[in-house]
Amino acid sequence: MSVDAPVGRPALVAADGVTPLRLPARPAANALGWGGGAWVAASGVAPELRDWLPVAGSPDGEAEGERGALVARARDLERNEGLIAGATQSLKDQAFGLGLDLQSMPAARVLGLSRQQAQDYANRIEDVWREWADDPLACDVTGQSTFGQLTRMTGGNALIAGEGLALPLWLPERQASRGSRFATVLQVIEPDRLSNPNDQPSGATLRDGVETDAYGAPVAYHIRKAHPGDALLGWPSADLMAWERVSAWVGDGVRRRQVLHVFDQKRPDQHRGVSWLAPVMVPLKQGGRYHRAELQAAVSSAAIMAVLETPLDGQTVESLFGDGKLPLDTVRDGRPVSLGIGPGGHIPRLLPGEKLTGFNAGRPSVGFDGFVTSVARHIAVGLGMTYETFVRDFSKTNYSSARASLLEGWRFILFLRLLLTTMWCRPSLELVLEEAVWRGYIDLPGFVESRAARRAWLRGVWRGPGRGWVDPVKEIQAAAMRVRLGLSTLRDEAFEQGRDLDELLDQIAAEREALAERGIVLPDVSFSPQPDPREGQASQD
């Protein structure tokens, strides 16, 4: 048996029956060309990868010291880049509108309620919520915004700064003086104020202003008393370098939330958000510079109609006319011949031998539109949008592709709503109902004592603006077919268009009663699908 053979297994030998066969030696690492590893992408010597050495940091560590620059650049892009200003406005309009409306749907089975009892409780919960949320003096500590407007503001901050932050305050005397029945009021805070006390480095249990326990759960937030940028306004330095520690929760058992922190947590142990624009900031900035350069070049070339050519050089003019100033000025200052076509329509007087040559700078560049479109597509993908919804250009799409683009972009809209629903709207509803139950405004059995019962009472959906239609007739027909086949419900279809079914049915009943009183009969509408000639055109395109 050869020494190269595994224990208990005979070795292979050559034809002479004596010489053992050996495995070929493994080639050296450099002979493989990428370092000998199993993954070429992990190579440190491959020519195309040798300079690509990113740091594998922790979620909080990677943004340590860089968050301020990211947020400042993101806000600058929103202020000064039309594409981002428009995209942000469009996302806020579609995802939040002027706020998300509550449609309460308590879990009847969990709470032991009948369907009618659950509906009655839902109506009372919505009434209590709207009393607080629709009154700026009740929900906003500054008295400037309704809860819907605060939602839109927080959603915008979550996009640009990567996070939104608010403190639910308990101010019974102040709110009573404003005429509110609630002491709960929200103070929306710039996320820039969330930072480590005295700007100290982060540690094991302090992550960029968020204090955690041994398991990484937030236990407190350190809020600077003034915004760092207020130093430019002469704000007292004592407040600029003073922090307040706010506990994340207060109380025992079913505790009360004291901080609302909204951000998209992409990795475990991540405690702060990152700007939505971070992956595409470089192409956005460079694209803006390129666009402005092309625009400036086009403006400059438009200002130059022609170039004046003369056969005389300066030395010749000087030798003919002395210093050459008087004769040249006499001709140049002569009144030009007017063409009578408005300002600028003149023929200048020329010296003998001079001529005007047309000027064409070739601006904008022939490839300008294609290049800008390519960059915009790249940016749109990085932002979770489609090209058509990002630049609002549907000129090159047919019905099918336009609808596919809107459906793809709608997924990101739904994600934004879900993020605000789970981290902003529902926690705020919990705070309001908690106080309403405590004050006796509404009776919700088990809300205070049981966490499970509380979650059951808080169930519901938050309705935003409707998705809209590309072709209303076809999509209404499709909705009618879904309902008739049992694939959808009237409530689902109404919710899809941003409507409350109960309010819609009440309005329909009132209108039908009004029509009957006046003896008006509306014509029947057929929902039978009809062939659309555009489909044939779309397939040909």
Side-chain angles (χ1 to χ4, degrees):
M1 182 179 294
S2 169
V3 295
D4 293 334
V7 177
R9 182 181 300 176
L12 296 177
V13 294
D16 58 8
V18 178
T19 306
L21 296 177
R22 300 178 180 272
L23 292 174
R26 184 177 179 179
N30 290 337
L32 294 177
W34 58 80
W39 302 97
V40 179
S43 170
V45 297
E48 62 271 30
L49 301 175
R50 66 180 60 173
D51 296 329
W52 186 17
L53 301 172
V55 177
S58 67
D60 293 330
E62 288 179 344
E64 179 76 12
E66 299 181 356
R67 187 179 315 281
L70 284 175
V71 173
R73 289 172 178 172
R75 289 175 180 153
D76 180 72
L77 287 172
E78 185 191 19
R79 285 192 300 265
N80 298 303
E81 290 296 336
L83 280 177
I84 292 303
T88 305
Q89 180 75 16
S90 176
L91 286 176
K92 291 192 293 185
D93 289 343
Q94 295 181 69
F96 317 122
L98 288 178
L100 302 180
D101 296 326
L102 169 65
Q103 187 172 335
S104 179
M105 302 172 65
R109 287 188 301 173
V110 175
L111 298 169
L113 304 175
S114 66
R115 184 178 302 175
Q116 185 58 47
Q117 287 175 323
Q119 184 59 48
D120 292 340
Y121 273 114
N123 293 337
R124 278 181 275 174
I125 289 174
E126 291 176 7
D127 290 341
V128 169
W129 169 253
R130 288 170 181 167
E131 177 187 349
W132 180 84
D134 293 345
D135 184 0
L137 295 177
C139 66
D140 181 13
V141 73
T142 67
Q144 295 177 305
S145 304
T146 64
F147 183 79
Q149 292 170 307
L150 295 180
T151 299
R152 183 182 177 92
M153 183 194 307
T154 302
N157 276 338
L159 285 172
I160 301 303
E163 55 193 348
L165 187 66
L167 300 181
L169 305 179
W170 183 266
L171 304 174
E173 296 181 0
R174 185 176 191 272
Q175 292 305 102
S177 66
R178 291 178 158 195
S180 173
R181 294 199 301 162
F182 297 88
T184 301
V185 63
L186 295 179
Q187 180 184 13
V188 179
I189 293 177
E190 277 276 20
D192 305 3
R193 292 173 56 187
L194 180 60
S195 58
N196 294 339
N198 300 316
D199 295 326
Q200 61 181 292
S202 295
T205 58
L206 185 61
R207 302 297 182 90
D208 212 354
V210 182
E211 184 180 335
T212 67
D213 61 13
Y215 297 97
V219 296
Y221 293 78
H222 295 265
I223 311 295
R224 192 192 296 258
K225 289 190 174 182
H227 192 283
D230 285 339
L232 302 176
L233 302 178
W235 200 270
S237 59
D239 288 342
L240 293 173
M241 293 303 295
W243 279 258
E244 179 182 359
R245 182 182 184 274
V246 181
S247 297
W249 303 87
V250 65
D252 299 323
V254 182
R255 300 180 296 170
R256 181 176 174 85
R257 192 187 302 266
Q258 291 204 115
V259 178
L260 299 178
H261 190 198
V262 181
F263 69 98
D264 178 20
Q265 184 177 354
K266 300 179 182 294
R267 297 172 60 185
D269 299 324
Q270 179 182 348
H271 298 92
R272 297 290 303 271
V274 178
S275 174
W276 166 65
L277 300 178
V280 293
M281 279 189 182
V282 174
L284 272 171
K285 188 61 178 177
Q286 294 294 81
R289 287 170 174 166
Y290 173 67
H291 190 275
R292 284 191 292 274
E294 280 288 349
L295 180 61
Q296 183 60 43
V299 171
S300 300
S301 62
I304 304 176
M305 182 190 72
V307 176
L308 178 63
E309 297 183 3
T310 176
L312 304 178
D313 56 23
Q315 185 175 1
T316 303
V317 172
E318 184 176 358
S319 63
L320 291 175
F321 300 103
D323 61 3
K325 182 177 181 181
L326 180 59
L328 286 177
D329 287 348
T330 302
V331 176
R332 296 284 184 253
D333 295 340
R335 185 176 182 84
V337 179
S338 176
L339 299 180
I341 59 174
H346 299 93
I347 298 176
R349 298 179 182 275
L350 304 178
L351 291 172
E354 291 184 337
K355 64 178 180 177
L356 289 174
T357 303
F359 177 78
N360 182 13
R363 297 292 182 174
S365 171
V366 177
F368 174 74
D369 184 65
F371 178 75
V372 170
T373 299
S374 176
V375 173
R377 291 184 187 277
H378 172 78
I379 294 172
V381 172
L383 297 179
M385 305 177 69
T386 62
Y387 167 77
E388 290 80 10
T389 57
F390 177 53
V391 300
R392 304 185 188 184
D393 178 16
F394 291 88
S395 61
K396 301 177 182 179
T397 61
N398 52 37
Y399 167 76
S400 299
S401 58
R403 191 169 190 278
S405 175
L406 291 174
L407 289 175
E408 183 67 26
W410 191 250
R411 293 188 176 94
F412 186 54
I413 298 298
L414 295 180
F415 162 75
L416 292 177
R417 285 188 190 172
L418 180 61
L419 180 67
L420 268 292
T421 294
T422 56
M423 305 189 76
W424 172 258
C425 295
R426 193 172 295 155
S428 298
L429 174 64
E430 181 179 1
L431 293 166
V432 173
L433 290 184
E434 183 180 59
E435 181 179 355
V437 170
W438 177 71
R439 291 184 181 274
Y441 301 157
I442 188 172
D443 180 25
L444 302 178
F447 190 90
V448 176
E449 300 82 10
S450 169
R451 188 69 181 168
R454 175 174 292 205
R455 304 309 298 173
W457 285 116
L458 291 173
R459 279 192 57 183
V461 293
W462 294 82
R463 189 178 60 254
R467 187 183 65 187
W469 294 302
V470 177
D471 188 328
V473 174
K474 294 183 64 175
E475 295 184 42
I476 290 174
Q477 290 175 346
M481 293 175 64
R482 286 194 297 269
V483 172
R484 289 178 180 177
L485 293 174
L487 302 177
S488 181
T489 66
L490 289 175
R491 188 174 296 278
D492 292 336
E493 298 300 329
F495 181 79
E496 186 77 10
Q497 296 305 321
R499 303 294 299 275
D500 185 308
L501 180 63
D502 297 322
E503 295 178 357
L504 186 62
L505 293 178
D506 290 341
Q507 183 63 29
I508 291 174
E511 291 180 2
R512 287 183 175 177
E513 183 179 348
L515 290 172
E517 290 176 355
R518 293 166 174 78
I520 300 174
V521 179
L522 296 179
D524 292 333
V525 179
S526 174
F527 288 99
S528 301
Q530 300 295 328
D532 190 341
R534 288 177 299 177
E535 284 301 304
Q537 180 181 356
S539 60
Q540 294 175 3
D541 293 341

